[in-house]
């Protein structure tokens, strides 16, 4: 098991290197640079700036320096646009925001989604089941950039209950709408997966046996059906967590949370290369870690898998 | 988040200490309005500002903050006139190439140190220092300070910059050319002083709230990147007792519609009105929807360089396209924010500039359309042989709407086949700068309030002349205008030439279109450059 | 879950998708060639799935016939009404704007039709790209085996950890936008998972008698893949592809929200919805409602069809 985890973590190294190479190539090929502006800089000023950031070095040298900086100093470089911050500062400021509401959304989506799915499975083919299926499909299809403005119109403008955006250090009023907008569609996915997996489990032989023995539905669900039914859900959760944090770009932009998704989009628009690279690497690492966690959890649930 | 408690306490202390004593009477000294207890001004900004370092800042959003945090030699009043800032006044020689500013002795930094001429010398040298590599170093060159260009190019040592402190309160500036409007330029953020001690102690991080020391009416107390920045009253500011607003909050809100919703919810005192919404908002909120002219133009430029399409080398084609643009539809149906229609390159709001009579203005749109059709046919284009070209603009809701409308006007009136191409800002700039386009959107805001800031763009040597229009007479007139006693007739002649040759299609001139809470007093609507200072504003009691 | 012969332990990352595969394999064992007929029977008995299929067909027919009903083209501006869209631009039979006007004064009916076409094309082509690249890649990797398999699958492991949404954003921000770029962006994302599923399936087919017989007869590996392996993969591929289409449409809508979608005057449902949603405070609700209806109908139908197909191809009927 440990060997397996180590191996998977080792894959992270070539993955991240490839990411760095892709980003550098894109940067190299992209028209415009961080210092392109409506009033073109005099060549001498531009040369001074590029020399300051080492942008006049050949591409491989830049890449090498970048990797060396990360490995030796854990330094992801300076922001080309925001002079008083480096990439580490920007991530340290924005990531906790995204992580906070991302995690809350994840927990809520999982709890509500699983409960709803189990409930729909138990009440299979009842009105409740049909409503649940219809609602989850709709929720899954509704983009969160539609939901966000509707939430703001209702809760901010009409009711005046919640602030329409911002973060304000993470006070709860500021967290509510981002969480609702982000978690709904994942909640729906989780509910769907749970429902179909639970249905399948409930029709399997060992559950029939348990029923034949006269155990109550509640006991059957809790003691026997839950664990096997959760397996597909668990393997969905890893990628879902990453997707929730990546998908938070919409939330960050609409609610102006100052989260990392906003930093990424801005850095791409501004050609703030170091920030762009830093955030991409952060997400690459997250993707690797959470895919691994999902697989490990899966193995833990399924005794038949051996490493 | 970890820093929150400190800021909150600082904010509370500041507000309890200050509001009372300064304005016990509770009315505005000039207008007599009753003042609100809470003097906080909150406004929306589109994007995170680039910096609050006066020598580094390059965007409008950042400059607005810098104008509050720092104070330069001269300021502008609500009409855009020059008024004393740190300097009480200046003298100049006959050639207008040496200026001597007298600094007020009571001016202080927020740490209590006096503001001296040395702070300006340090800041201006810093601006042109190749080591800082400021994106606004060119402003030092534009000001024509002696040796600025050579220092930027690294050819001369920094100490040879033509600025020196005669004593702590006297600053002398030597220019390489005669510049009558030099003092106007000292209202620009790049020329504001910067605190040497603090910069040397903290390096690039000196602009963070925990480090920054500033000499303006406000100090930066909180900055959450991409979310908000807060500036609060500077106790040490020399004119602190006449400052009314205690706290200014800039909230970053990317989406203008979201910002408007939040304005309605009372979270903001000021936000931009999205294109097309002004008439309805004006009807519903007559006291809050405001519109006033700005010093900016909006145009499409033909690519007249060698890489440009052959079709546009024909002046009739250019003229036909310009005539067929129904500017009324753009200004009344699409922008609808009170923007003037444009037939000249220079906005009518520019000081001293009267819009000349260009022939097109006298024609009705029907006459223009008929003339356009005639010219197009003359140039050899018709239903069998339609004119085809690409038009380039940068991604933006309003630019997209205008481009769509222009494309349709040309298609329906002239049978032209236009392909729209929108690009992200930086890609767009790069493409336009390399003359890799046929027709491209352009806009320009004046660096100073005079027609040459616009018309220089159409001269051959201009670095911003993306269409590469070149006319010897225009170059000559613009050179002549620099030293002329009354340059206005020369500008008029340039505009006439432009109207004849149509290197660009003027569309409209900007207006500032805002929702501004009726509580906010003294917004400088007459300052066409929109250089506003929070210390001039106040909040009325409801 | 049974660990199949030939399955390498490090491929457990694909397990979540392999349940379907196993069932398909089992189904083939038990029922042989009647699988497809059986599946069709099961599908037609699933009322929700059939209703969804009918809905989707209706949407497709609408996009094909709609242009003949439309009074305006998708780029024409109604100059007379563009100045007061909130007041006069609502849906109306009288004005010929059945769905109202968009924010510039263009006919939303024509634009919704065009947008639905774009979204469906993006979805289908995106899914097709995934299917073609993923199936070939997975089948070759699984069938050839050995170090080739190892190399190919490690490459997938690496690529799957790349945060693609970010790469798409970079591509769309930095380069001139076109349908091609959109397909490149979306296409590179989607084939990885598919290749893993197909490889797993191929591994289990590889040691079946008919393949071994073909090998013994000296048939080349590529021919075997083409003639024997690929046809047997159809079931899982169809199910997965159906589920991919709505995902692709959702990805495109996200890109459109960022303002990075297709060029004017073309549009997509994502672009229309995103614009409509941002302007609902101005009382132009139809600009959101109509495209959203088509968007939801399309996606939800596809979800139901995908689910229906999966159930139909799953022999353990519920």
């Amino acid at each position: 098991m440990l060997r397996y985890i180590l191996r998977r973590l080792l894959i992270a190294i070539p993955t991240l290197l490839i990411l760095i190479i892709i980003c550098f190539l894109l940067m190299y090929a992209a028209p415009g640079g961080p210092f392109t502006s409506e009033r073109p800089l005099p060549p001498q000023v531009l040369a001074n700036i590029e020399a300051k950031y080492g942008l006049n070095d050949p591409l491989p040298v830049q890449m090498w320096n970048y990797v060396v900086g990360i490995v030796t100093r854990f330094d992801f470089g300076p922001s080309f646009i925001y002079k008083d911050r480096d990439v580490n500062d920007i991530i340290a400021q924005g990531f906790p925001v995204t992580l906070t509401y991302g995690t809350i959304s994840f927990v809520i989506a999982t709890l509500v989604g699983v409960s709803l799915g189990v409930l729909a499975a138990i009440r299979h083919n009842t009105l409740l089941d049909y409503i649940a299926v219809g609602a989850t499909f709709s929720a899954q299809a509704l983009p969160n950039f539609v939901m966000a403005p509707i939430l703001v119109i209702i809760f901010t403008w009409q009711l005046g209950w919640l602030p329409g955006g911002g973060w304000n250090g993470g006070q709860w009023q500021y967290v509510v709408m981002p969480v609702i907008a982000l978690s709904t569609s994942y909640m729906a996915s989780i509910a769907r997966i749970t429902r179909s997996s639970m249905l399948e489990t409930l029709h399997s032989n060992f559950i029939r046996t348990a029923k034949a023995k006269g155990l109550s539905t509640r006991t059957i669900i809790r003691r026997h059906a839950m664990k096997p039914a959760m397996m597909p859900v668990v393997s969905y959760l890893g990628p879902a967590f990453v997707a929730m944090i990546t998908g938070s770009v919409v939330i960050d932009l609409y609610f102006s949370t100052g989260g990392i998704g906003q930093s990424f989009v801005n850095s791409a628009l501004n050609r703030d290369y170091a920030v762009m690279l830093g955030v991409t690497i952060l997400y690459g690492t997250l993707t690797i870690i959470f895919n691994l966690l999902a697989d490990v959890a899966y193995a833990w649930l399924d005794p038949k898998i051996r490493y | 988040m970890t820093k929150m408690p400190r800021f909150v306490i600082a904010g509370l202390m500041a507000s309890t200490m200050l509001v009372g004593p300064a304005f016990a009477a509770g009315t505005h000294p000039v207008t007599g309005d009753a003042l609100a207890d809470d003097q906080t001004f909150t406004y929306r900004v589109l994007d995170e500002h680039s910096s609050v370092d006066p020598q580094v800042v390059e965007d409008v959003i950042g400059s607005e903050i810098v104008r509050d945090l720092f104070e330069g030699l001269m300021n502008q009043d609500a009409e855009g006139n020059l008024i004393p800032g740190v300097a009480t006044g200046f003298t100049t020689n006959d050639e207008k190439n040496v200026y001597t500013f007298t600094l007020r002795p009571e001016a202080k930094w927020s740490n209590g140190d006096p503001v001296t001429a040395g702070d300006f010398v340090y800041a201006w040298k810093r601006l042109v220092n190749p080591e800082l590599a400021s994106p606004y170093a060119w402003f030092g060159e534009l000001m024509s300070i002696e040796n600025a260009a050579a220092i930027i190019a690294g050819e001369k040592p920094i100490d040879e910059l033509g600025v020196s402190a005669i004593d702590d309160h006297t600053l002398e500036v030597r220019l390489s050319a005669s510049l009558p409007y030099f003092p106007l330029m000292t209202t620009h953020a790049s020329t504001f002083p910067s605190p040497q001690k603090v910069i040397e102690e903290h390096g690039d991080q000196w602009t963070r709230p925990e480090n920054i020391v500033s000499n303006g009416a406000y100090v930066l107390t909180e900055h959450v990147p991409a979310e908000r920045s807060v500036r609060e009253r500077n106790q040490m500011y020399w004119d602190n007792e006449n400052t009314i607003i205690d706290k200014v909050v800039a909230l970053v809100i990317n989406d203008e519609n979201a910002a408007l919703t939040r304005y309605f919810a009372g979270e903001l005192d000021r936000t931009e009105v999205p294109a097309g919404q002004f008439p309805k908002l004006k009807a519903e909120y007559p006291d809050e929807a405001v519109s006033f002219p700005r010093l900016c133009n909006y145009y499409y430029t033909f690519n007249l360089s060698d890489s440009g399409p052959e079709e546009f080398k024909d002046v009739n084609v250019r003229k036909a396209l310009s005539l067929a643009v129904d500017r009324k539809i753009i200004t009344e149906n699409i922008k609808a924010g009170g923007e003037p229609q444009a037939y000249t390159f220079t906005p009518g709001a520019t000081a001293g500039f009267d819009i000349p009579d260009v022939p097109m203005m006298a024609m009705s749109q029907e006459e223009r359309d008929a003339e356009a059709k005639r010219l197009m046919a003359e140039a050899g284009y018709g239903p069998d042989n339609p004119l085809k070209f690409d038009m380039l603009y940068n991604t933006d809701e309003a630019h997209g709407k205008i481009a769509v409308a222009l494309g349709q006007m040309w298609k329906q009136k002239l049978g032209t086949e236009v392909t729209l191409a929108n690009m992200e800002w930086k890609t767009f700039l790069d493409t336009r700068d390399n003359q890799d386009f046929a027709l491209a959107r352009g806009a320009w805001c004046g660096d100073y309030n005079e027609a040459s800031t616009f018309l220089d763009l159409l001269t051959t040597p201009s670095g911003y002349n993306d269409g590469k229009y070149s006319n010897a007479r225009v170059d000559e007139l613009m050179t002549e205008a620099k030293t002329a006693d009354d340059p206005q007739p020369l500008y008029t002649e340039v505009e006439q030439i432009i109207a004849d040759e149509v290197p660009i299609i003027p569309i409209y001139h900007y207006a500032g279109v805002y929702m501004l809470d009726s509580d906010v007093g003294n917004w400088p609507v007459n300052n066409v450059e929109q250089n506003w200072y929070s210390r001039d504003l106040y909040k009325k009691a409801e | 879950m049974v660990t199949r012969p030939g399955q390498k332990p490090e491929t457990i990352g694909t397990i979540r998708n392999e349940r379907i595969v196993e069932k398909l394999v089992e189904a083939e064992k038990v029922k042989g060639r009647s699988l497809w007929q059986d599946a069709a029977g099961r599908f037609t008995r699933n009322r929700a799935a059939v209703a969804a299929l009918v809905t989707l067909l209706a949407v497709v027919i609408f996009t094909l016939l709609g242009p003949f009903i439309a009074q305006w083209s998708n780029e024409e501006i109604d100059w007379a009404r563009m100045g007061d869209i909130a007041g006069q631009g609502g849906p109306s039979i009288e004005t010929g704007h059945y769905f109202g006007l968009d924010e510039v004064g263009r006919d939303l009916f024509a634009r919704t039709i065009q947008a639905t076409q774009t979204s469906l094309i993006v979805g289908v082509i995106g899914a097709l790209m995934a299917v073609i690249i993923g199936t070939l890649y997975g089948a070759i990797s699984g069938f050839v085996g050995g170090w080739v398999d190892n190399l190919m699958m490690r490459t997938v492991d690496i690529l799957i950890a790349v945060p693609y949404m970010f790469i798409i954003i970079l591509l769309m921000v930095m380069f001139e936008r076109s349908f091609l770029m959109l397909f490149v962006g979306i296409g590179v994302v989607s084939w990885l998972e598919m290749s893993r599923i197909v490889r797993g399936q191929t591994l289990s087919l590889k040691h079946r008698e008919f393949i071994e017989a073909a090998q013994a007869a000296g048939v080349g590996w590529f021919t075997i893949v083409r003639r024997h392996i690929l046809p047997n993969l159809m079931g899982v591929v169809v199910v997965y592809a159906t589920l991919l289409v709505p995902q692709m449409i959702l990805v495109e809508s996200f890109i459109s929200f960022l303002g990075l979608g297709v060029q004017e005057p073309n549009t997509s449902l994502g672009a229309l919805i995103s614009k409509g949603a941002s302007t609902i405070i101005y009382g132009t609700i139809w600009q959101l409602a109509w495209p959203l209806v088509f968007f939801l109908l399309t996606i939800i139908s596809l979800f139901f069809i995908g689910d229906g197909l999966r159930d139909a191809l799953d022999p353990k009927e519920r």
Side-chain angles (χ1 to χ4, degrees):
Chain A
M1 184 72 182
L2 200 66
R3 252 192 74 207
Y4 169 74
I5 294 176
L6 278 176
R7 248 181 102 152
R8 284 284 297 268
L9 285 178
L10 275 181
I11 286 184
I13 296 171
T15 308
L16 295 180
L17 280 177
I18 285 182
L19 260 185
I20 292 175
I21 292 172
I22 294 177
C23 289
F24 265 95
L25 289 178
L26 277 175
M27 273 157 38
Y28 184 73
F35 311 110
T36 306
S37 80
E38 191 160 24
R39 302 167 186 222
L41 295 176
Q44 195 53 50
V45 176
L46 188 64
N48 290 340
I49 298 181
E50 291 194 334
K52 182 174 168 183
Y53 291 110
L55 290 173
N56 46 3
D57 293 333
L59 199 65
V61 175
Q62 288 185 39
M63 255 191 259
W64 172 252
N65 288 341
Y66 183 75
V67 174
V68 167
I70 295 176
V71 174
T72 58
R73 287 167 278 139
F74 203 69
D75 175 6
F76 287 82
S79 161
F80 299 143
I81 308 292
Y82 306 114
K83 304 293 183 310
D84 61 353
R85 273 164 276 159
D86 57 27
V87 178
N88 296 16
D89 290 331
I90 288 174
I91 291 178
Q93 188 268 323
F95 188 54
V97 172
T98 307
L99 193 66
T100 304
Y101 73 76
T103 309
I104 297 173
S105 307
F106 177 76
V107 170
I108 290 179
T110 309
L111 290 180
V112 178
V114 167
S115 319
L116 203 65
V118 170
L119 208 63
I122 297 173
R123 303 275 168 81
H124 185 42
N125 283 338
T126 63
L127 186 65
L128 184 103
D129 183 30
Y130 295 142
I131 292 172
V133 171
T136 51
F137 272 136
S138 316
Q140 218 180 334
L142 192 70
N144 46 14
F145 57 78
V146 174
M147 217 157 139
I150 294 176
L151 286 174
V152 171
I153 287 173
I154 297 174
F155 292 106
T156 305
W157 189 13
Q158 298 302 330
L159 298 173
W161 290 352
L162 297 169
W167 187 245
N168 214 2
Q171 284 176 23
W172 70 269
Q173 301 95 318
Y174 291 81
V175 184
V176 176
M177 285 196 290
V179 165
I180 297 176
L182 183 58
S183 59
T184 308
S185 81
Y186 293 95
M187 197 185 285
S189 303
I190 293 170
R192 268 181 71 195
I193 296 171
T194 309
R195 174 182 170 273
S196 69
S197 161
M198 182 56 87
L199 278 178
E200 196 175 311
T201 314
L202 289 177
H203 285 93
S204 61
N205 290 333
F206 76 97
I207 296 291
R208 285 194 190 132
T209 316
K211 271 188 195 154
K213 281 199 279 185
L215 292 176
S216 72
T217 316
R218 179 186 283 262
T219 320
I220 292 174
I221 301 271
R222 223 179 26 211
R223 301 260 302 269
H224 301 285
M226 211 54 190
K227 205 171 156 184
M230 277 304 98
M231 292 193 343
V233 180
V234 165
S235 55
Y236 173 76
L237 291 181
F241 185 74
V242 178
M244 279 170 103
I245 295 193
T246 323
S248 68
V249 168
V250 174
I251 309 297
D252 280 340
L253 286 177
Y254 195 82
F255 291 106
S256 313
T257 57
I260 199 77
Q262 197 171 359
S263 302
F264 178 78
V265 174
N266 285 340
S267 68
L269 293 174
N270 291 333
R271 307 285 193 275
D272 197 350
Y273 294 138
V275 177
M276 201 179 88
L277 269 167
V279 179
T280 313
I281 290 174
L282 173 72
Y283 278 110
T285 314
L286 281 179
T287 312
I288 295 168
I289 291 174
F290 282 94
N291 281 344
L292 177 59
L293 280 182
D295 289 345
V296 169
Y298 197 94
W300 174 73
L301 281 173
D302 187 346
K304 284 183 200 144
I305 290 183
R306 292 285 172 270
Y307 292 92
Chain B
M1 179 148 185
T2 49
K3 285 173 189 145
M4 275 304 292
R6 197 167 65 82
F7 292 131
V8 170
I9 292 163
L12 285 173
M13 280 170 59
S15 50
T16 46
M17 277 163 59
L18 289 163
V19 181
F23 284 95
T27 56
H28 189 271
V30 179
T31 62
D33 285 328
L35 296 177
D37 290 339
D38 180 17
Q39 290 290 338
T40 304
F41 175 64
T42 309
Y43 68 107
R44 174 244 177 179
V45 292
L46 167 72
D47 250 325
E48 168 71 359
H49 56 266
S50 61
S51 176
V52 295
D53 182 328
Q55 275 76 52
V56 170
V57 65
E58 51 179 327
D59 52 334
V60 173
I61 295 164
S63 303
E64 288 172 348
I65 299 173
V66 169
R67 267 198 300 276
D68 274 359
L69 299 182
F70 297 87
E71 184 170 51
L73 294 169
M74 305 300 279
N75 292 333
Q76 284 185 1
D77 68 7
E79 267 71 45
N81 302 317
L82 210 58
I83 53 168
V86 171
T88 50
F90 59 87
T91 57
T92 180
N93 59 351
D94 290 343
E95 289 83 43
K96 295 203 188 317
N97 63 3
V98 177
Y99 284 84
T100 311
F101 292 86
T102 311
L103 274 51
R104 64 177 81 241
E106 71 270 30
K108 283 199 180 69
W109 291 95
S110 54
N111 62 1
D113 293 350
V115 179
T116 64
D119 293 328
F120 283 92
V121 173
Y122 172 74
W124 292 19
K125 286 182 177 167
R126 196 169 167 257
L127 177 65
V128 294
N129 190 338
E131 243 174 74
L132 181 72
S134 163
Y136 250 71
W138 61 270
F139 198 81
E141 227 176 308
L142 188 73
M143 290 196 297
S144 310
I145 307 175
E146 204 173 77
N147 293 333
I151 294 168
I152 293 169
E155 288 156 8
K156 283 203 173 164
I158 297 149
D159 284 336
E160 292 193 15
L161 188 72
V163 55
S164 46
I166 307 284
D167 59 48
D168 269 0
H169 302 297
T170 314
L171 180 76
E172 186 188 87
V173 192
R174 294 176 299 281
L175 308 180
S176 55
S178 165
L179 222 55
Y181 50 86
F182 179 81
L184 282 173
M185 297 176 122
T186 63
T187 62
H188 194 275
S190 312
T191 69
F192 293 177
S194 45
Q196 182 168 7
K197 266 197 310 193
V198 181
I199 295 174
E200 280 165 2
E201 187 185 341
H202 297 289
D204 278 346
Q205 301 190 355
W206 78 274
T207 47
R208 295 188 179 195
E210 63 268 30
N211 301 333
I212 195 167
V213 166
S214 60
N215 75 324
Y218 296 87
V219 285
L220 186 69
T221 52
E222 187 187 352
H223 179 209
V224 186
E227 199 224 332
R228 68 174 65 214
S229 69
V230 180
R231 43 199 198 264
E232 286 174 66
R233 186 187 276 278
N234 176 5
Q235 305 286 358
M236 294 292 168
Y237 180 58
W238 63 270
D239 201 17
N240 183 35
E241 57 189 65
N242 287 319
T243 304
I244 302 174
I245 296 282
D246 289 317
K247 185 176 173 185
V248 185
V249 183
L251 294 180
V252 179
I253 306 173
N254 294 117
D255 185 311
E256 55 184 1
N257 300 301
L260 191 60
T261 316
R262 290 174 67 180
Y263 173 88
F264 288 139
E267 291 182 35
L268 298 167
D269 293 317
R270 191 195 91 159
T271 189
E272 285 79 0
V273 173
Q277 302 304 332
F278 183 71
K280 222 174 136 220
L281 291 171
K282 185 76 192 170
E284 275 177 64
Y285 309 90
D287 298 340
E288 300 176 45
V290 293
S291 163
F292 44 84
R294 299 275 319 263
L295 208 56
C296 306
N297 62 13
Y298 189 106
Y299 60 93
Y300 267 84
T301 178
F302 292 103
N303 181 2
L304 300 173
S305 73
D306 294 338
S307 63
E310 215 35 59
E311 294 87 330
F312 290 163
K313 303 281 191 299
D314 184 343
V315 66
N316 284 346
V317 172
R318 302 201 298 266
K319 211 174 237 174
L321 290 174
S322 183
L323 282 164
V325 173
D326 189 343
R327 289 161 178 84
K328 197 172 161 209
I329 283 182
I330 311 282
T331 56
E332 288 183 12
N333 291 348
I334 296 179
K335 293 294 292 180
E339 292 84 358
Q341 301 169 28
Y343 300 92
T344 57
F345 195 63
T346 312
T350 313
F353 180 77
D354 288 321
I355 295 180
D357 293 325
V358 296
M360 206 200 293
M361 287 172 74
M363 299 159 80
S364 71
Q365 190 58 44
E366 288 70 35
E367 287 164 355
R368 288 178 203 156
D369 292 347
E371 175 73 359
K373 280 176 195 149
R374 191 185 66 76
L375 288 170
M376 209 58 156
E378 203 170 287
Y381 299 100
D384 311 328
N385 178 26
L387 177 70
K388 292 179 192 172
F389 62 89
D390 288 4
M391 63 189 285
L392 182 69
Y393 61 99
N394 58 300
T395 312
D396 174 277
E397 193 81 0
H399 300 337
K401 287 183 185 178
I402 290 171
V404 165
L406 292 178
Q408 281 300 301
M409 287 173 191
W410 291 326
K411 185 177 182 178
Q412 291 178 9
K413 294 174 184 174
L414 307 174
T416 311
E417 288 175 21
V418 189
T419 311
L420 305 182
N422 71 328
M423 292 181 178
E424 282 319 308
W425 181 235
K426 297 259 177 177
T427 314
F428 166 80
L429 288 177
D430 195 67
T431 311
R432 198 178 62 178
D433 199 35
N434 291 320
Q435 281 75 47
D436 191 9
F437 66 95
L439 185 69
R441 189 193 80 84
W444 191 259
C445 286
D447 285 317
Y448 47 90
N449 196 353
E450 218 255 348
S452 62
T453 190
F454 294 100
L455 294 173
D456 273 342
L457 248 67
L458 297 172
T459 58
T460 314
S462 167
Y464 319 133
N465 180 352
D466 292 313
K468 296 292 165 210
Y469 171 64
S470 177
N471 179 308
R473 181 68 189 146
V474 169
D475 296 354
E476 201 182 300
L477 287 166
M478 290 311 293
T479 315
E480 207 178 306
K482 285 202 169 39
T483 49
D485 286 337
D486 179 16
Q488 298 307 329
L490 306 173
Y491 296 149
T492 304
E493 194 182 337
V494 173
E495 287 287 1
Q496 300 284 10
I497 297 173
I498 294 168
D500 272 351
E501 302 205 333
V502 203
I504 49 108
I505 305 176
I507 310 283
Y508 71 87
H509 294 139
Y510 273 62
V513 193
Y514 296 105
M515 289 300 281
L516 184 67
D517 199 315
S518 46
D519 299 354
V520 178
N522 267 358
W523 189 271
V525 290
N526 295 325
N527 185 326
V528 288
E529 291 169 84
Q530 275 300 291
N531 288 335
W532 55 275
Y533 301 83
S534 301
R535 64 163 183 276
D536 295 337
L537 309 175
Y538 63 94
K539 291 278 286 275
K540 300 169 202 164
E542 307 249 356
Chain C
M1 179 139 322
V2 188
T3 311
R4 286 185 301 277
Q7 186 194 10
K8 296 221 164 58
E10 60 268 35
T11 58
I12 60 158
T14 68
I15 281 167
R16 61 191 102 110
N17 294 301
E18 283 172 7
R19 292 171 336 111
I20 313 169
V21 177
E22 275 192 15
K23 282 166 197 152
L24 288 164
V25 174
E26 274 169 45
E28 275 175 289
K29 275 183 203 148
V30 179
K31 307 200 176 171
R33 294 190 178 283
S34 67
L35 169 79
W36 289 98
Q37 286 98 322
D38 263 21
R42 269 194 294 270
F43 188 86
T44 45
R45 263 176 279 134
N46 183 336
R47 272 180 299 170
V50 172
L53 188 64
V54 171
T55 312
L56 186 66
L57 282 176
V59 169
V60 172
I61 291 170
F62 174 75
T63 66
L64 296 177
L65 297 184
F68 297 105
I69 313 165
Q71 307 266 337
W72 301 73
S73 82
N74 68 328
E75 52 170 16
E76 247 176 299
I77 295 176
D78 187 345
W79 304 106
R81 296 187 183 85
M82 75 179 292
D84 181 22
I85 289 167
Q88 299 175 33
S92 147
I93 302 283
E94 218 171 290
T95 60
H97 300 295
Y98 309 126
F99 289 0
L101 291 174
D102 79 349
E103 77 287 351
V104 196
R106 289 173 294 188
D107 183 35
L108 201 60
F109 182 76
R111 291 188 71 70
T112 305
I113 289 169
Q114 197 268 316
T116 312
Q117 287 169 349
T118 307
S119 291
L120 282 172
I121 291 171
V122 168
V124 170
I125 294 193
L128 266 183
M129 280 178 74
V131 166
I132 294 168
I133 305 175
T135 310
L136 278 176
Y137 193 97
I140 292 172
S141 173
F143 187 76
V144 176
W147 66 269
V148 176
D149 179 36
N150 217 333
L151 182 77
M152 287 174 86
M153 280 301 118
R154 285 304 76 73
T155 311
V156 170
D157 287 346
I158 289 172
L159 291 178
I160 222 157
V162 172
Y164 277 101
M165 195 46 82
F166 285 53
I167 301 294
I168 295 182
I169 292 175
L170 293 185
L171 280 176
M172 303 301 284
V173 164
M174 295 190 174
F175 299 98
E176 201 176 342
R177 290 201 281 286
S178 60
F179 269 95
L180 183 73
M181 194 52 85
L182 196 62
F183 290 136
V184 169
I186 290 179
V188 289
V189 188
S190 49
W191 65 273
L192 296 164
E193 199 81 334
M194 187 84 209
S195 73
R196 283 180 163 186
I197 297 170
V198 168
R199 173 183 169 274
Q201 170 83 324
T202 310
L203 284 177
S204 65
L205 284 170
K206 197 170 155 183
H207 297 288
R208 303 272 293 280
E209 296 80 355
F210 65 97
I211 305 281
E212 281 175 354
Q215 274 174 314
V219 181
W221 68 268
F222 190 75
T223 315
I224 297 182
V225 168
R226 190 167 53 85
R227 296 275 299 277
H228 301 291
I229 306 269
L230 290 184
N232 279 295
L233 294 172
M234 281 319 284
V236 63
V237 168
V238 165
V239 171
Y240 190 73
T242 321
L243 294 171
L244 260 181
V245 176
Q247 275 180 41
M248 298 290 111
I249 297 178
L250 285 166
V251 168
E252 195 282 330
S253 74
F254 172 70
I255 293 171
S256 289
F257 162 77
L258 295 174
L260 305 175
V262 294
Q263 288 278 7
E264 290 281 0
N266 292 322
T267 186
S268 72
L269 286 175
L272 287 183
I273 291 169
S274 142
K275 276 187 190 149
S278 67
T279 54
I280 33 178
I281 48 168
Y282 309 123
T284 50
I285 185 84
W286 63 87
Q287 290 176 358
L288 173 65
W290 287 108
L292 190 61
V293 164
F294 279 83
F295 186 82
L296 292 179
L297 279 181
T298 309
I299 298 221
I300 296 175
S301 312
L302 283 162
F303 279 154
F304 272 108
I305 294 169
D307 266 18
L309 279 174
R310 196 180 53 204
D311 292 349
L313 292 163
D314 177 352
K316 281 189 222 158
E317 205 182 337
R318 283 174 196 143

